């Protein structure tokens, strides 16, 4: 079945460090790919998305490129801030019912 | 404002009690989903409904039932709550252009 595998955390970085969170997905069909962010005590927010191969999603300094050849959608940010501390979820949608399949989440903590 | 309204926000149940989580959307989409979120497990699909009058099992349906009352409403019922059902529950529907999903604010359920 459909699945998403993302880098296990927790990840702890210092402010202004470079961030990469790896994500790979099963290549069934033509999925859309997403990164969601969950701040402490809140629900999930869409961070960025990509709908086809080679698309780059970007938002708030975060970027991810839809790589069909490696079935990957890695999240990157050049300089993290304390306010980026959150749980990040990679997800794919696909099929006639548009179901979302999530990775297990990666906890990011950014220290001043 | 278009969105997903989910009630209640918090609930504490005793083992064996029953309850229904309510969800209503005004995104005018056919599909609706119930997910549960547990630490380290990401979000897992419980049940989904591809259209009014249809429902299907997701990844973790045991102990739950659902009703798609009409296009707007999709309820999740726990007939006999168990401590293993302690979780945060999210109702989700695709956006108008499919790429982008709208989440309810979540229900934090504790079963003691």
């Amino acid at each position: 079945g459909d699945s998403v595998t993302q880098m296990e955390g927790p990840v702890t970085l210092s402010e202004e460090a470079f961030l990469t969170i790896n994500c790979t997905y099963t290549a069934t069909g033509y999925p859309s790919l997403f990164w969601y962010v969950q701040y402490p005590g809140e629900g999930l927010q869409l961070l960025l998305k990509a709908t086809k191969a080679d698309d780059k999603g970007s938002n708030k300094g975060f970027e991810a490129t839809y790589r069909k050849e490696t079935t990957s959608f890695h999240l990157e940010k050049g300089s993290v801030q304390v306010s980026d501390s959150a749980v990040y979820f990679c997800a794919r949608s696909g099929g006639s019912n548009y179901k979302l399949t999530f990775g297990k989440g990666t906890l990011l903590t950014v220290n001043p | 404002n278009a969105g997903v309204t989910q009630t209640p926000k918090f609930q504490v149940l005793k083992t064996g009690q029953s309850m229904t989580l309510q969800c209503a959307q005004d995104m005018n989409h056919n599909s609706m989903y119930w997910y549960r979120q547990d630490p380290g497990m990401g979000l897992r699909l419980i049940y989904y409904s591809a259209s009014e009058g249809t429902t299907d099992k997701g990844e973790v349906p045991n102990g739950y039932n659902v009703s798609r009352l009409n296009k707007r409403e999709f309820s999740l019922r726990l007939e006999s709550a168990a401590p293993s059902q302690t979780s945060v529950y999210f109702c989700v529907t695709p956006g108008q252009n499919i790429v982008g999903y709208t989440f309810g604010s979540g229900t934090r359920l504790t079963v003691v």
Side-chain angles (χ1 to χ4, degrees):
Chain A
D2 296 335
S3 67
V4 173
T5 303
Q6 70 179 94
M7 176 176 157
E8 289 191 18
V11 174
T12 302
L13 297 173
S14 297
E15 206 165 22
E16 300 184 1
F18 184 86
L19 169 70
T20 300
I21 301 177
N22 291 337
C23 172
T24 58
Y25 62 93
T26 51
T28 308
Y30 303 93
S32 294
L33 303 174
F34 306 85
W35 278 100
Y36 284 89
V37 59
Q38 185 177 38
Y39 298 102
E42 298 185 11
L44 274 73
Q45 302 176 24
L46 178 65
L47 181 59
L48 53 83
K49 63 184 185 291
T51 59
K52 61 184 186 298
D54 300 325
D55 270 2
K56 178 185 282 188
S58 61
N59 186 27
K60 299 181 182 179
F62 291 89
E63 294 184 339
T65 301
Y66 191 142
R67 301 286 188 199
K68 188 175 180 181
E69 64 277 10
T70 55
T71 63
S72 65
F73 192 55
H74 304 322
L75 182 68
E76 296 182 336
K77 186 173 186 181
S79 176
V80 294
Q81 305 300 311
V82 172
S83 57
D84 293 327
S85 298
V87 180
Y88 293 81
F89 294 94
C90 185
R92 59 157 281 160
S93 71
S96 58
N97 296 318
Y98 311 111
K99 288 182 289 182
L100 270 177
T101 302
F102 289 87
K104 293 185 177 181
T106 303
L107 173 63
L108 169 67
T109 301
V110 180
N111 294 319
Chain B
N1 291 334
V4 176
T5 302
Q6 190 180 332
T7 58
K9 291 189 183 302
F10 301 94
Q11 184 72 49
V12 179
L13 291 178
K14 294 182 179 179
T15 297
Q17 287 185 317
S18 63
M19 77 163 293
T20 300
L21 283 67
Q22 306 285 356
C23 176
Q25 55 105 353
D26 54 11
M27 307 296 289
N28 199 36
H29 201 279
N30 287 323
S31 296
M32 298 181 73
Y33 317 92
W34 277 105
Y35 288 86
R36 61 177 287 173
Q37 182 182 13
D38 302 292
M41 300 298 292
L43 279 79
R44 294 179 292 170
L45 183 63
I46 306 171
Y47 269 93
Y48 67 98
S49 172
S51 63
E52 183 179 348
T54 68
T55 61
D56 287 285
K57 295 178 180 179
E59 183 183 355
V60 288
N62 291 345
Y64 305 94
N65 286 301
V66 290
S67 296
R68 183 71 182 270
L69 305 171
N70 47 55
K71 190 171 186 177
R72 289 189 67 247
E73 298 174 287
F74 187 38
S75 61
L76 178 71
R77 182 161 178 83
L78 288 71
E79 291 290 353
S80 179
S84 61
Q85 294 178 305
T86 293
S87 187
V88 181
Y89 293 84
F90 289 99
C91 179
V92 183
T93 189
Q96 293 178 346
N97 61 354
I98 307 303
V99 183
Y101 290 71
T102 301
F103 288 72
S105 56
T107 297
R108 186 173 294 275
L109 174 66
T110 302
V111 183
V112 298

